Amino acid sequence: MVEKKVSDYIADFLLEQGIRHVFGIVGAGNAQIFDAITRLGFTEIVCVHHEQAAVMAATTYYRMTGKVSVVLLTTGAGSTNGVTGVVSAWMDSMPVLVISGNENSRFTSAENPLRIWGVQGYDSTKMVEGVTKWTNRVMQPESVRDVISRAYAIASASRQGPVWIDVAMNIQAAPVSAEGLLPVQSLQLDDHHQVGVDHSRILDLNNGVRAVLELLAVSKRPVLWLGHGIRAAGAESLVAELVEKLGLPTLVSWQACDILDSDHPLCFGRAGVYGQRAANFVLQNSDSLICIGTRLAIPQVGYDLTEFARAAQVAMVDIDSQELLKLGERIQLPILSDAGKFIERLLQEIKGINTQPDWISQCEVYRERYPVVGPEHDDMQDASGTSFVNSYRFMQVLEKYFHDDQIVTTDMGTALLSGHQVLKIKIGQRMLTSTGLGEMGFGLPGAIGAAIGANREVLCLNCDGGMMLNLQELQTIVHHQLPIKIIIFNNDGYLMIKHTQKALFAGRYSGSDQKSGVTCPDFSKVAHAFGIPSFQIRTWEDAESILPEVQSINGPVICEVFTHPEQPFVPKLSLVQQKDGSIVSPPLEDLSPLIPRDDMRKNMLIGLHQKSNTLDVSNVD
Amino acid sequence: MVEKKVSDYIADFLLEQGIRHVFGIVGAGNAQIFDAITRLGFTEIVCVHHEQAAVMAATTYYRMTGKVSVVLLTTGAGSTNGVTGVVSAWMDSMPVLVISGNENSRFTSAENPLRIWGVQGYDSTKMVEGVTKWTNRVMQPESVRDVISRAYAIASASRQGPVWIDVAMNIQAAPVSAEGLLPVQSLQLDDHHQVGVDHSRILDLNNGVRAVLELLAVSKRPVLWLGHGIRAAGAESLVAELVEKLGLPTLVSWQACDILDSDHPLCFGRAGVYGQRAANFVLQNSDSLICIGTRLAIPQVGYDLTEFARAAQVAMVDIDSQELLKLGERIQLPILSDAGKFIERLLQEIKGINTQPDWISQCEVYRERYPVVGPEHDDMQDASGTSFVNSYRFMQVLEKYFHDDQIVTTDMGTALLSGHQVLKIKIGQRMLTSTGLGEMGFGLPGAIGAAIGANREVLCLNCDGGMMLNLQELQTIVHHQLPIKIIIFNNDGYLMIKHTQKALFAGRYSGSDQKSGVTCPDFSKVAHAFGIPSFQIRTWEDAESILPEVQSINGPVICEVFTHPEQPFVPKLSLVQQKDGSIVSPPLEDLSPLIPRDDMRKNMLIGLHQKSNTLDVSNVD
């Protein structure tokens, strides 16, 4: 009987699945697996410089290829370093298979009471139990194929998410004959997150489709809200047909902003706390809201559920019953279904379409009245009179130079907010970020995973603060000469935090800019150190001359854009003073900067919220 | 009643404890705490650029100041980013108090079944339960003083280690009157790691001291082995007296290599898998071995317990009974005691001293016969004839320029192994590293914590591979203009892994050097980008001219040392071929490169091990 090492079966599995790239860093704890994969010669291991980046890159690799992506971690810190990426994948429903090495299996028992397992190991799977769909430690060489097969299947199954398997060093090297391998156990895909759920309110696919059609039949101002769950279900190709057949004003979540052409006549944008003003009016005036594959996160629905789409009956289609129930009675129609199956079924069942031309016209009025870039995005000057380009307005210039198949990844802060507020995304273009964990540092590895997965150019929107958390990955980009264009918005520190501190602490900053204890390096010099060409944009003339050049370069580029260190993130749902001096959080449609109350009254077909009525808008009206 | 915010009580607590510095990054989840500390104005927050660095810096800050150090993490990724440092602190028994922010307390219940708590939170304390001494989530504003006081006390209590408390954003901001605060609960300092231990074999302090004295009275070749537990017990000032009064040949663990002057006549160095050859002969020929405050890790005792100090009765004094029992019957005298109390008591009880001049002379013979730098550390040339300085030999040049109060931190790989093999440390000098987790990237934040804690210069020994994992912290160093001299050994990738791959895979490299998929940047250019002066050492002439200059500069410096990309790490306990062709792991005294068998026979007073007898040393003898 021919025997192969456990590591060889892992390498074989990657080949069988057609996985062309995995991400990781070699160490004593995974050297066997690296060797087996390299010897087999099918899968390329992309060696990053911090394991967090390996996991983050795997999430965008998946998004571009549809392949569950694999991460190779070593024992000890090699695996702890992967935790941030795993939590990010968990929150964003990204199927990632993490394979960690560990010490000799005589140490890797959950009963081992020592602080250290072997030389530098610990119970890695226990640590991530709460933030993964499944963990397993391969303790028998014969079980390798079973465990990796199940892990892969569990990661891929709805609701997708990361899985983590741990393989002791000696097990990796252990020989097994093909005949000796244990059979792959059949899957029990019961999601522990469904346990303990009261399903009495939840509708199934049949009843859900019927209820939605009944709701739409009587709605005057229906709205569709689409999310990443549609892509996770592989149903993105049905979106245009769905939207057009229903004829409804449609909103998209940030994670799904590339699922419908931003210029589609029925696409009314992205609503939320940092939403587009027009989109929020569409949302908040709806009388029925059909949410498919979007988890209605707080940044989408705001802080007070009683104010969210308060005139609407809300239907929510999701594969995770916990998500369906989290907003309680606010979701009148919680429908437990795969987003794709729901859309297919809905398309089959739609008979006539109850078009509402007046409502669509009204939505178009919102869109025309409140373009995504407005006077609140005018350039600002600092005390010395230096003028800074506004990051929102900058996006409109940037998108002129987009390729038809442009991929964009964003880090957090200015990159995230300006990008998702302004950038129009066409079908064929992609915009990828971390919307759940929202970890600073996602931008660079996100771009790496996307560039390698799609084998094409990526525009990475980043910020001075966020660049630092995966700075070392510039070398990974350089090593592979990946065509990644990095735009760095330089705003002297952590701008979102500065705004928080300004609002909460009477303007006292701490740890958020140069004066309060944090600086970032000169990124043009950093670019030079890594051998990356670099540019600086300080004016609109710079932008118009440099951006085409940036887009025309093959290989990596860094382009720093200097923005005002206090530039507001607007529009935004902000705390506001009322006429009596008290501070309130207005309803989701009443974004700051506040608009005149008369305009609000005109826009709010459902009537002005009482809180909006009493806001102090003396600077506005 | 005057009310203060929960965050103010946290800031007050830091003041009461006299904590001058804490480490962290501000975020929405900890902004209240940052503000409270900054307003109070006593404690400085050192803002790093990745939370892993905050925790690592806290460990060396503690080592230099004796103050339990505090880390401030924000919600979400801010806290996952801290995990690697926490595991490192856990394994190395470093008291670190981690305070993480989290989402609004209405989300932060362990019963919350959603993948995301609030906007971007998760159950951070659950994740680190297995790698901390204690975790707690502050859910009642009134309990803040109680929880933080207990956390601090638990971290400080033996066996020291990290604790983690989580405070929801709204709780941080909640007002409480001093009168409303709950009293501090009395501590139940039962270490969960002692649970389930069979104490029948374990001796207490009284019996342990007596047993050790009885053992020493009949020993001919006694040896003392000292570890970090002595410093953790605050007993480092007793070490010289102990050694001299006992008159025993003394070994030190890596973590305690600065506890006894390396030039003390009774200091015989550092034994282990990567140990000094003379030290290993001392250890392996002992007939009694008294280990105090050292956990006898695998890198110290080797892979086969039956071969470790096999002629010796072994006494082990440790505060953690699990550690006492982990080597089973090999430890004849497991003594559960604080290392300091044990030493004090031993000093009181010692009557006459049973000096063994012949044994000490023999140990001196080992030391003279096997200096730490030998012919195995001669320079090597590459194929093109370029000669590289050897990193071990380099240490001997480097230490000539040490200040009397020199602090050294090391990263892993070449920095760790060459540094701990060669560098002599005087009393007043310190050498700090991560010996448990051994995480790449420790060097830079370790240097930051030490430089700030001691308020003086630090020499950071680093490598090209390890620099990358905390590269961003160069900016923290520059921001504070910390006097950190960074020596980077450039050996084209991960040299330890290359040696592993050479040994295991017939020389096939994967992901460990330029040709196999990993490169590092030009660190002189990186230095320039950060505005740090830089030097390059390629020859001994360079070393002699540049090192004094490096040491004379105020503020940060980077000095890159180019070493042979295949330089061996020797001496080392390595797998060796026997005469019959089979591969064995020799006993701990038989380090590679192998020495002639006649010399081995002369050195091994206890007789040559059978395995040593049959090794193929045809290239040697």
Side-chain angles (χ1 to χ4, degrees):
Chain A
M1 282 192 302
V2 182
E3 291 191 325
K4 295 204 279 190
K5 290 183 187 179
V6 162
S7 296
D8 291 318
Y9 290 105
I10 293 174
D12 288 348
F13 182 83
L14 300 178
L15 183 151
E16 288 157 21
Q17 298 299 329
I19 297 174
R20 279 292 185 183
H21 300 90
V22 297
F23 300 86
I25 299 180
V26 71
N30 62 7
Q32 292 281 354
I33 301 174
F34 266 66
D35 184 59
I37 293 173
T38 304
R39 253 190 297 114
L40 190 62
F42 179 81
T43 306
E44 182 186 351
I45 307 174
V46 179
C47 298
V48 294
H49 282 280
H50 191 298
E51 285 86 353
Q52 66 189 3
V55 191
M56 295 171 197
T59 69
T60 51
Y61 184 83
Y62 161 74
R63 277 178 268 197
M64 294 314 303
T65 62
K67 289 277 173 202
V68 173
S69 187
V70 175
V71 173
L72 304 177
L73 307 180
T74 185
T75 180
S79 69
T80 55
N81 281 348
V83 167
T84 296
V86 168
V87 177
S88 178
W90 174 240
M91 292 183 173
D92 275 353
S93 307
M94 295 295 151
V96 174
L97 167 55
V98 175
I99 304 176
S100 63
N102 213 327
E103 305 291 311
N104 189 293
S105 59
R106 73 178 182 274
F107 300 114
T108 62
S109 149
E111 274 67 55
N112 183 341
L114 296 168
R115 288 194 186 182
I116 307 182
W117 284 5
V119 176
Q120 53 185 167
Y122 71 103
D123 195 343
S124 54
T125 50
K126 178 180 171 185
M127 180 175 282
V128 296
E129 250 171 26
V131 292
T132 48
K133 289 190 72 177
W134 195 62
T135 65
N136 194 285
R137 177 164 294 124
V138 179
M139 292 294 275
Q140 270 186 291
E142 296 75 16
S143 69
V144 57
R145 191 182 56 184
D146 170 38
V147 171
I148 196 170
S149 301
R150 278 193 288 157
Y152 192 85
I154 292 169
S156 318
S158 300
R159 180 184 181 182
Q160 297 177 329
V163 295
W164 183 306
I165 65 178
D166 193 40
V167 192
M169 294 184 205
N170 58 316
I171 302 287
Q172 289 172 32
V176 193
S177 70
E179 297 77 13
L181 288 173
L182 295 172
V184 178
Q185 292 180 42
S186 65
L187 273 184
Q188 304 279 338
L189 284 177
D190 49 324
D191 189 332
H192 68 283
H193 271 222
Q194 313 297 347
V195 171
V197 171
D198 170 16
H199 278 74
S200 62
R201 288 190 59 238
I202 293 180
L203 304 177
D204 64 10
L205 177 59
N206 281 341
N207 290 321
V209 168
R210 190 179 317 126
V212 164
L213 288 172
E214 286 169 7
L215 176 59
L216 289 177
V218 298
S219 299
K220 302 289 182 209
R221 297 183 308 280
V223 169
L224 196 58
W225 205 352
L226 305 180
H228 167 73
I230 296 171
R231 205 182 277 280
E236 61 270 31
S237 62
L238 302 177
V239 166
E241 184 187 354
L242 174 76
V243 169
E244 285 154 25
K245 208 156 173 187
L246 287 176
L248 301 187
T250 301
L251 303 173
V252 287
S253 74
W254 280 4
Q255 197 68 277
C257 65
D258 52 11
I259 211 168
L260 178 65
D261 194 318
S262 303
D263 277 332
H264 190 288
L266 286 170
C267 184
F268 288 92
R270 307 148 196 171
V273 170
Y274 285 100
Q276 296 163 337
R277 201 182 288 271
N280 280 20
F281 281 123
V282 170
L283 173 69
Q284 291 294 85
N285 282 292
S286 67
D287 69 351
S288 73
L289 178 63
I290 316 299
C291 308
I292 305 178
T294 179
R295 65 185 163 86
L296 298 181
I298 293 169
Q300 295 175 271
V301 303
Y303 308 110
D304 188 334
L305 270 187
T306 65
E307 297 166 357
F308 159 66
R310 57 192 175 276
Q313 297 276 309
V314 182
M316 180 179 181
V317 180
D318 205 283
I319 196 69
D320 182 337
S321 54
Q322 299 287 7
E323 296 289 346
L324 288 176
L325 297 179
K326 73 179 178 186
L327 301 187
E329 305 286 328
R330 189 65 203 83
I331 308 299
Q332 283 87 356
L333 301 174
I335 301 163
L336 185 64
S337 171
D338 173 88
K341 292 199 180 108
F342 183 86
I343 293 173
E344 278 175 22
R345 192 62 173 279
L346 197 63
L347 286 171
Q348 290 165 7
E349 300 283 328
I350 299 170
K351 304 284 185 280
I353 304 162
N354 174 29
T355 48
Q356 300 291 345
D358 291 351
W359 169 230
I360 291 174
S361 300
Q362 176 64 39
C363 294
E364 287 164 348
V365 167
Y366 294 140
R367 187 160 57 192
E368 280 154 32
R369 202 175 278 164
Y370 304 107
V372 290
V373 172
E376 67 269 35
H377 301 119
D378 283 351
D379 293 348
M380 292 167 65
Q381 296 187 344
D382 66 12
S384 71
T386 304
S387 188
F388 293 86
V389 301
N390 177 282
S391 66
Y392 292 85
R393 203 167 284 271
F394 178 83
M395 294 296 170
Q396 286 194 321
V397 180
L398 181 65
E399 70 185 359
K400 290 195 297 183
Y401 302 102
F402 275 11
H403 306 298
D404 286 344
D405 59 356
Q406 186 72 55
I407 303 169
V408 181
T409 66
T410 88
D411 211 89
M412 301 302 120
T414 302
L416 178 85
L417 299 177
S418 317
H420 286 83
Q421 179 76 232
V422 177
L423 287 176
K424 288 184 177 177
I425 306 293
K426 298 196 188 82
I427 292 301
Q429 298 176 335
R430 297 295 301 275
M431 185 140 83
L432 312 172
T433 194
S434 163
T435 51
L437 188 61
E439 68 275 25
M440 282 206 300
F442 177 85
L444 282 187
I448 291 171
I452 291 174
N455 193 24
R456 60 178 205 258
E457 192 184 304
V458 175
L459 187 69
C460 172
L461 303 183
N462 224 309
C463 301
D464 50 351
M467 276 296 291
M468 300 299 283
L469 283 102
N470 267 314
L471 191 66
Q472 74 287 344
E473 297 312 320
L474 288 177
Q475 186 59 26
T476 310
I477 291 172
V478 166
H479 180 88
H480 294 274
Q481 280 298 304
L482 297 173
I484 295 177
K485 281 68 186 280
I486 305 164
I487 307 280
I488 303 174
F489 294 97
N490 185 320
N491 48 34
D492 184 20
Y494 308 126
L495 183 50
M496 281 186 85
I497 302 300
K498 287 192 261 182
H499 287 306
T500 300
Q501 292 173 328
K502 196 178 283 192
L504 292 179
F505 311 128
R508 287 188 306 273
Y509 289 174
S510 173
S512 50
D513 68 355
Q514 181 169 6
K515 281 190 190 154
S516 66
V518 175
T519 47
C520 292
D522 178 331
F523 287 103
S524 296
K525 289 185 179 170
V526 169
H528 181 73
F530 284 88
I532 301 174
S534 71
F535 300 87
Q536 293 191 331
I537 292 178
R538 295 175 188 274
T539 66
W540 295 114
E541 293 70 35
D542 291 346
E544 294 290 5
S545 68
I546 287 171
L547 287 176
E549 196 175 349
V550 165
Q551 282 293 62
S552 71
I553 286 175
N554 293 320
V557 188
I558 285 180
C559 177
E560 202 169 7
V561 181
F562 292 86
T563 58
H564 194 285
E566 310 283 334
Q567 178 197 295
F569 292 127
V570 281
K572 191 211 164 194
L573 183 62
S574 297
L575 296 177
V576 181
Q577 201 159 6
Q578 287 183 298
K579 286 172 191 157
D580 66 4
S582 62
I583 304 288
V584 295
S585 178
L588 191 53
E589 67 275 15
D590 209 353
L591 298 175
S592 289
L594 299 175
I595 59 172
R597 298 298 90 178
D598 278 353
D599 294 355
M600 280 299 293
R601 276 183 203 99
K602 261 184 283 179
N603 292 332
M604 290 309 293
L605 310 183
I606 67 166
L608 195 62
H609 194 279
Q610 192 270 337
K611 277 200 281 189
S612 294
N613 205 25
T614 60
L615 294 183
D616 181 2
V617 287
S618 49
N619 297 328
V620 177
D621 280 318
Chain B
M1 283 194 302
V2 182
E3 291 190 324
K4 295 204 279 190
K5 289 182 185 179
V6 162
S7 297
D8 291 317
Y9 290 105
I10 293 174
D12 288 349
F13 182 83
L14 300 178
L15 184 151
E16 289 156 20
Q17 299 298 330
I19 297 173
R20 280 292 184 183
H21 300 89
V22 297
F23 300 86
I25 300 181
V26 71
N30 62 7
Q32 292 282 354
I33 301 174
F34 267 66
D35 184 58
I37 293 173
T38 305
R39 254 190 297 113
L40 190 61
F42 179 81
T43 307
E44 183 187 349
I45 307 172
V46 180
C47 298
V48 295
H49 282 281
H50 191 298
E51 286 85 354
Q52 66 189 6
V55 192
M56 295 171 197
T59 70
T60 51
Y61 184 83
Y62 161 73
R63 275 179 270 196
M64 294 314 302
T65 62
K67 289 279 174 201
V68 174
S69 187
V70 175
V71 173
L72 303 176
L73 307 180
T74 184
T75 181
S79 69
T80 55
N81 282 348
V83 168
T84 296
V86 167
V87 177
S88 178
W90 173 241
M91 292 183 174
D92 276 353
S93 307
M94 294 295 151
V96 174
L97 167 55
V98 175
I99 303 175
S100 63
N102 213 325
E103 305 291 312
N104 189 293
S105 59
R106 72 176 184 274
F107 300 114
T108 63
S109 151
E111 273 68 56
N112 184 342
L114 296 168
R115 289 194 185 183
I116 307 182
W117 284 5
V119 175
Q120 52 185 170
Y122 72 104
D123 195 344
S124 54
T125 50
K126 178 179 172 186
M127 179 176 281
V128 296
E129 250 171 24
V131 292
T132 49
K133 289 192 71 178
W134 194 62
T135 64
N136 194 285
R137 179 165 292 124
V138 179
M139 292 295 273
Q140 271 185 290
E142 296 75 16
S143 69
V144 59
R145 193 183 56 184
D146 171 38
V147 171
I148 195 170
S149 301
R150 279 194 287 157
Y152 191 85
I154 291 169
S156 317
S158 299
R159 180 180 181 184
Q160 298 177 327
V163 295
W164 183 306
I165 64 177
D166 192 40
V167 193
M169 292 183 206
N170 58 315
I171 302 287
Q172 289 172 31
V176 193
S177 70
E179 297 76 15
L181 287 174
L182 294 172
V184 177
Q185 291 180 43
S186 64
L187 273 184
Q188 305 276 339
L189 284 178
D190 49 320
D191 189 330
H192 67 281
H193 272 223
Q194 314 297 347
V195 170
V197 171
D198 170 15
H199 278 73
S200 62
R201 289 192 57 238
I202 293 180
L203 304 177
D204 63 11
L205 176 58
N206 282 339
N207 290 321
V209 169
R210 189 179 319 127
V212 164
L213 287 173
E214 286 170 8
L215 177 59
L216 290 177
V218 299
S219 299
K220 302 290 180 209
R221 297 183 309 279
V223 169
L224 196 57
W225 205 353
L226 306 180
H228 167 75
I230 297 172
R231 207 184 275 280
E236 61 270 32
S237 62
L238 301 177
V239 166
E241 185 188 351
L242 175 76
V243 170
E244 286 155 24
K245 209 159 172 185
L246 287 176
L248 301 187
T250 302
L251 303 173
V252 287
S253 75
W254 280 4
Q255 196 69 278
C257 65
D258 52 11
I259 212 167
L260 178 65
D261 194 317
S262 302
D263 278 331
H264 190 289
L266 287 169
C267 185
F268 287 92
R270 307 150 196 169
V273 171
Y274 285 100
Q276 296 163 337
R277 201 182 289 271
N280 280 21
F281 281 124
V282 170
L283 173 70
Q284 291 294 84
N285 282 293
S286 67
D287 69 351
S288 73
L289 178 63
I290 317 299
C291 307
I292 306 177
T294 178
R295 64 184 164 84
L296 299 181
I298 293 168
Q300 295 174 268
V301 303
Y303 308 109
D304 187 335
L305 271 186
T306 67
E307 297 166 358
F308 160 65
R310 56 192 176 276
Q313 296 277 308
V314 183
M316 180 179 183
V317 180
D318 205 284
I319 196 67
D320 183 338
S321 54
Q322 300 286 7
E323 296 290 347
L324 288 176
L325 297 179
K326 75 179 178 188
L327 302 187
E329 305 286 328
R330 190 64 202 83
I331 308 297
Q332 283 85 356
L333 302 175
I335 302 164
L336 185 63
S337 171
D338 174 86
K341 292 199 181 110
F342 183 86
I343 292 174
E344 277 175 25
R345 192 61 173 278
L346 197 62
L347 286 172
Q348 289 165 8
E349 300 283 330
I350 300 172
K351 304 281 188 271
I353 305 164
N354 175 28
T355 48
Q356 300 290 346
D358 291 353
W359 170 230
I360 291 176
S361 300
Q362 176 64 41
C363 293
E364 286 163 349
V365 166
Y366 295 140
R367 188 161 56 192
E368 280 154 35
R369 201 174 278 164
Y370 304 106
V372 291
V373 172
E376 67 266 37
H377 302 119
D378 284 349
D379 292 349
M380 292 168 64
Q381 297 187 342
D382 66 11
S384 71
T386 305
S387 187
F388 292 86
V389 301
N390 177 282
S391 66
Y392 292 86
R393 203 166 282 273
F394 179 82
M395 293 295 170
Q396 285 195 320
V397 181
L398 181 64
E399 70 185 0
K400 291 195 297 183
Y401 302 101
F402 275 10
H403 305 300
D404 286 343
D405 60 355
Q406 186 71 56
I407 303 169
V408 181
T409 66
T410 87
D411 211 272
M412 301 302 120
T414 302
L416 178 86
L417 299 176
S418 318
H420 286 83
Q421 179 77 232
V422 177
L423 286 177
K424 289 183 177 178
I425 306 293
K426 297 196 188 81
I427 293 301
Q429 299 177 334
R430 297 295 303 274
M431 186 140 82
L432 312 172
T433 193
S434 163
T435 51
L437 188 61
E439 68 274 25
M440 283 207 300
F442 177 84
L444 282 188
I448 291 170
I452 291 173
N455 194 24
R456 62 179 203 256
E457 192 184 303
V458 175
L459 188 69
C460 172
L461 304 182
N462 223 310
C463 299
D464 50 350
M467 276 295 293
M468 299 300 281
L469 284 101
N470 267 313
L471 191 65
Q472 75 288 342
E473 298 311 321
L474 288 177
Q475 186 60 25
T476 310
I477 292 172
V478 166
H479 180 87
H480 295 275
Q481 279 298 302
L482 297 174
I484 294 177
K485 280 68 186 284
I486 306 163
I487 307 280
I488 303 174
F489 294 97
N490 185 321
N491 50 33
D492 185 19
Y494 309 127
L495 183 49
M496 282 185 83
I497 302 301
K498 285 192 263 182
H499 287 304
T500 300
Q501 292 172 328
K502 194 177 284 190
L504 293 178
F505 311 128
R508 288 189 305 271
Y509 290 173
S510 172
S512 51
D513 69 354
Q514 180 169 8
K515 280 192 190 151
S516 65
V518 175
T519 47
C520 292
D522 178 331
F523 287 103
S524 296
K525 289 185 179 171
V526 170
H528 181 72
F530 284 88
I532 301 175
S534 71
F535 299 88
Q536 293 191 332
I537 291 178
R538 295 176 187 273
T539 66
W540 294 113
E541 293 70 34
D542 292 346
E544 294 289 3
S545 68
I546 287 170
L547 288 176
E549 195 175 351
V550 165
Q551 282 294 63
S552 71
I553 285 176
N554 294 317
V557 187
I558 285 179
C559 176
E560 204 171 4
V561 181
F562 292 86
T563 58
H564 194 286
E566 309 284 336
Q567 178 197 295
F569 292 127
V570 283
K572 192 211 163 189
L573 184 62
S574 297
L575 296 176
V576 180
Q577 201 160 4
Q578 288 182 298
K579 287 173 192 156
D580 66 4
S582 63
I583 303 288
V584 295
S585 177
L588 192 52
E589 66 275 14
D590 208 355
L591 299 174
S592 291
L594 299 175
I595 60 172
R597 297 298 90 180
D598 279 351
D599 294 353
M600 281 299 292
R601 275 183 205 100
K602 260 184 284 180
N603 292 333
M604 290 309 293
L605 309 183
I606 67 166
L608 196 62
H609 193 281
Q610 192 270 335
K611 277 199 283 188
S612 293
N613 204 24
T614 58
L615 293 184
D616 181 1
V617 286
S618 48
N619 297 328
V620 177
D621 281 315

